[in-house]
Amino acid sequence: MSDYVTPQTLHVAASPLSSAIQLPAKNSKKPLFLFGMVLLTGILFAGTQLIGDIQQTGVTFSSVLPLMLLGFALLAALGFEFVNGFHDTANAIRR
């Protein structure tokens, strides 16, 4: 690899691809609402399935603490995987 530097300056000009594209001035709340509904539906489905599975085992809880600890452990594991995915992506791009 050489240390040769070109004597000319490079000029880069950016221009819009098309002036016919008009972006809306106001962001729509529909995608955010749809995402929230899908997320809420998923949480409710997982909760009802978990309760059904617990009832099938015949185990009864005298408090809600074990379920809260299970939820915290799952959130911690998902948070770790989420952050770890960022680190793995950065390492894959850098190589």
Side-chain angles (χ1 to χ4, degrees):
M1 184 158 223
S2 68
D3 292 331
Y4 177 73
V5 178
T6 59
Q8 303 96 349
T9 59
L10 299 174
H11 297 285
V12 178
S15 63
L17 296 176
S18 173
S19 61
I21 299 174
Q22 297 294 326
L23 296 176
K26 182 180 167 187
N27 290 338
S28 175
K29 301 284 185 192
K30 288 180 185 178
L32 185 61
F33 177 73
L34 181 63
F35 174 74
M37 292 303 295
V38 169
L39 185 65
L40 183 63
T41 304
I43 290 171
L44 288 174
F45 177 76
T48 56
Q49 294 300 312
L50 178 64
I51 290 171
D53 290 343
I54 290 172
Q55 287 176 349
Q56 285 181 355
T57 62
V59 175
T60 58
F61 292 107
S62 59
S63 70
V64 189
L65 182 63
L67 292 176
M68 289 175 54
L69 291 174
L70 175 64
F72 177 74
L74 290 174
L75 284 176
L78 288 174
F80 173 78
E81 289 297 326
F82 183 74
V83 172
N84 192 31
F86 282 135
H87 291 256
D88 289 344
T89 303
N91 289 336
I93 292 172
R94 190 170 38 161
R95 291 183 186 182

